[in-house]
Amino acid sequence: MNKYLPLMLTVTLALGACSSPTATKEPEKKETTSEQGKSKGEKNPKEDKVAEKKEESKPPFKPLEPAEDAVSLKESLAEETQTEETETDQEGQKEKPQRTVPLGETLANGVEDPSDGPLKNHRLVTYYGTPASKHMGILGKYEPEEYIKKLKEQTQVYSDLDPDRPAVPTIELITTMAQNAPGPDGDYVQMTSEENIETYVKLAEKHDALVLLDIQLGTDTVMNQVKMVEKWLKRPNVHLAIDTEFHVAEGEKPGEDLGEVDGREIQEAIEYISALAEKNDLPDKLVLVHQFTGPVLTNKDAIKPTENVEVAINFDGWGAAADKQALYGRYVRDEPTQYGAFKVFYEKDFPVLTPEEVLKMDPSPAVVNYQ
């Protein structure tokens, strides 16, 4: 089994070298009666129920409004992209591949989104991490209010760059962290405290933001961990993220041995969350699946979104920017599931891609997370 850290370096750096019926009289009579009641100013129970349902279906988040002078992404970046392609042609270099979707589109080519999930009309911008560690992401470096302030600042950049798809600040909280020791349960995973989870779920509620609960698995199963966080998944603003590379076999250690998750297990979780949302009248959900290299996600074609669960494949490798863009193309563009996501490492990428460069990828990432 390849070791996790060396392989991550190899994968992220190597690519540069080498996703009628006929109406009856009775219904007519009822309709007429309804209309008569309406004309007399009486309440229509059916309309009341529709209005009530519409009120309940309001999303549990508010995107950050673009600046007044923000211009369409296609307008701001199309000319720049066209100039780059023209210069490439004039220099006699190999032409860039044709886009599979128009500039700025987030939905992968050939797929649909029948849900009303958060990605349909918005982009999520996340800051990843855990309050238990300053080295696992931005979340652990700041107190909650300072953290959410910085998250909103980064999110605002994306709303201003793409005002047609305003961005939503999203907390990506490592909920079960993989360990190199088996721990009391023997599953190489330590769950963050319920107090911490509640702190960040309530922080998101206060600021009209979303939450992604990230699970790292260890030797545990996907479904077992989904059930561990189920009570929070029943909250309207809470969604799920799965870190595939930390799921190892018995006798292996996360962080030393490269893990993998079977797409069929992820699909079981998607369908479980789909049923959970339907049963509890919850807003449509998102499942974010982390993938930095091919071997960490097997049977990927088994992963399918549902009518009330969106799916995004998140390329989260670190290293050379050009290699990361190419690998995003391989695992998101060339293996389309539904949406794409892209992780930026402030301290491990070289150079760190700008938001403009991130948005120009094909398809444009619907989720951009920072670590």
Side-chain angles (χ1 to χ4, degrees):
M1 171 64 83
N2 290 321
K3 297 301 181 183
Y4 166 65
L5 293 177
L7 182 57
M8 184 133 182
L9 283 168
T10 301
V11 171
T12 55
L13 301 179
L15 191 63
C18 332
S19 153
S20 155
T22 304
T24 62
K25 292 182 179 180
E26 187 170 344
E28 289 178 2
K29 184 177 180 180
K30 288 181 178 179
E31 182 177 346
T32 302
T33 303
S34 175
E35 290 299 318
Q36 288 176 348
K38 185 176 180 181
S39 65
K40 294 178 182 179
E42 296 177 1
K43 291 185 177 181
N44 186 330
K46 184 176 180 180
E47 290 181 354
D48 287 346
K49 287 182 179 180
V50 171
E52 183 179 347
K53 184 175 181 180
K54 186 175 181 181
E55 182 71 23
E56 290 176 352
S57 65
K58 286 184 178 180
F61 62 86
K62 288 182 182 178
L64 298 189
E65 292 297 325
E68 290 184 5
D69 59 351
V71 298
S72 167
L73 177 70
K74 294 177 182 178
E75 181 181 342
S76 63
L77 295 184
E79 183 177 346
E80 177 185 345
T81 303
Q82 185 176 8
T83 301
E84 290 175 353
E85 292 175 350
T86 302
E87 289 175 350
T88 300
D89 293 344
Q90 290 175 346
E91 293 173 4
Q93 298 176 0
K94 184 178 179 180
E95 294 186 19
K96 293 183 178 180
Q98 293 291 320
R99 297 188 65 91
T100 61
V101 296
L103 181 67
E105 286 292 324
T106 57
L107 197 59
N109 184 41
V111 299
E112 299 178 349
D113 183 357
S115 79
D116 289 317
L119 300 187
K120 195 158 191 176
N121 298 302
H122 304 93
R123 174 174 285 106
L124 306 189
V125 177
T126 89
Y127 270 178
Y128 177 94
T130 169
S133 173
K134 294 182 179 181
H135 306 292
M136 289 291 291
I138 305 165
L139 188 147
K141 295 183 178 181
Y142 301 98
E143 292 300 313
E145 287 295 339
E146 182 67 14
Y147 160 83
I148 199 75
K149 177 184 177 183
K150 291 181 178 296
L151 172 59
K152 283 184 173 182
E153 289 171 353
Q154 183 67 80
T155 303
Q156 188 67 55
V157 174
Y158 283 90
S159 280
D160 293 346
L161 282 171
D162 190 1
D164 297 328
R165 188 174 297 277
V168 181
T170 304
I171 298 168
E172 189 166 1
L173 174 67
I174 303 173
T175 310
T176 55
M177 183 185 294
Q179 308 287 303
N180 60 9
D185 296 328
D187 57 8
Y188 290 86
V189 169
Q190 180 179 346
M191 185 170 179
T192 191
S193 69
E194 293 196 4
E195 181 182 358
N196 276 334
I197 297 174
E198 279 296 324
T199 294
Y200 286 92
V201 170
K202 289 179 179 178
L203 181 69
E205 290 171 348
K206 176 182 177 181
H207 291 274
D208 297 312
L210 294 175
V211 178
L212 277 165
L213 296 182
D214 185 276
I215 55 177
Q216 294 191 345
L217 302 173
T219 59
D220 204 356
T221 67
V222 175
M223 279 306 305
N224 190 48
Q225 294 215 356
V226 167
K227 292 176 181 179
M228 286 169 60
V229 299
E230 180 174 333
K231 72 176 184 179
W232 292 287
L233 291 173
K234 290 180 180 179
R235 304 276 273 271
N237 67 330
V238 178
H239 304 264
L240 182 72
I242 302 172
D243 255 321
T244 54
E245 66 266 30
F246 295 107
H247 183 227
V248 295
E250 294 293 337
E252 297 178 342
K253 294 182 179 181
E256 292 184 12
D257 298 290
L258 181 67
E260 65 178 50
V261 175
D262 191 314
R264 292 171 294 190
E265 296 180 41
I266 291 175
Q267 186 60 26
E268 183 182 1
I270 289 170
E271 292 173 3
Y272 186 87
I273 292 170
S274 182
L276 190 72
E278 187 172 354
K279 180 179 179 180
N280 294 277
D281 295 321
L282 296 169
D284 292 345
K285 295 289 187 177
L286 163 66
V287 173
L288 182 74
V289 182
H290 290 262
Q291 179 185 18
F292 82 91
T293 186
V296 301
L297 186 53
T298 62
N299 294 309
K300 185 176 179 179
D301 57 357
I303 302 173
K304 307 290 183 185
T306 70
E307 290 187 357
N308 55 0
V309 174
E310 297 173 318
V311 178
I313 303 298
N314 181 42
F315 178 74
D316 67 349
W318 52 266
D323 297 338
K324 290 185 60 168
Q325 290 168 306
L327 287 165
Y328 177 87
R330 178 186 296 181
Y331 300 127
V332 175
R333 181 194 63 219
D334 299 342
E335 298 175 356
T337 299
Q338 191 179 36
Y339 290 100
F342 188 81
K343 182 181 279 190
V344 177
F345 288 79
Y346 283 123
E347 298 177 358
K348 293 184 177 181
D349 287 349
F350 48 94
V352 175
L353 290 176
T354 66
E356 292 91 340
E357 291 169 325
V358 170
L359 294 182
K360 284 162 59 176
M361 290 193 289
D362 177 24
S364 185
V367 182
V368 185
N369 40 23
Y370 284 86
Q371 181 172 341

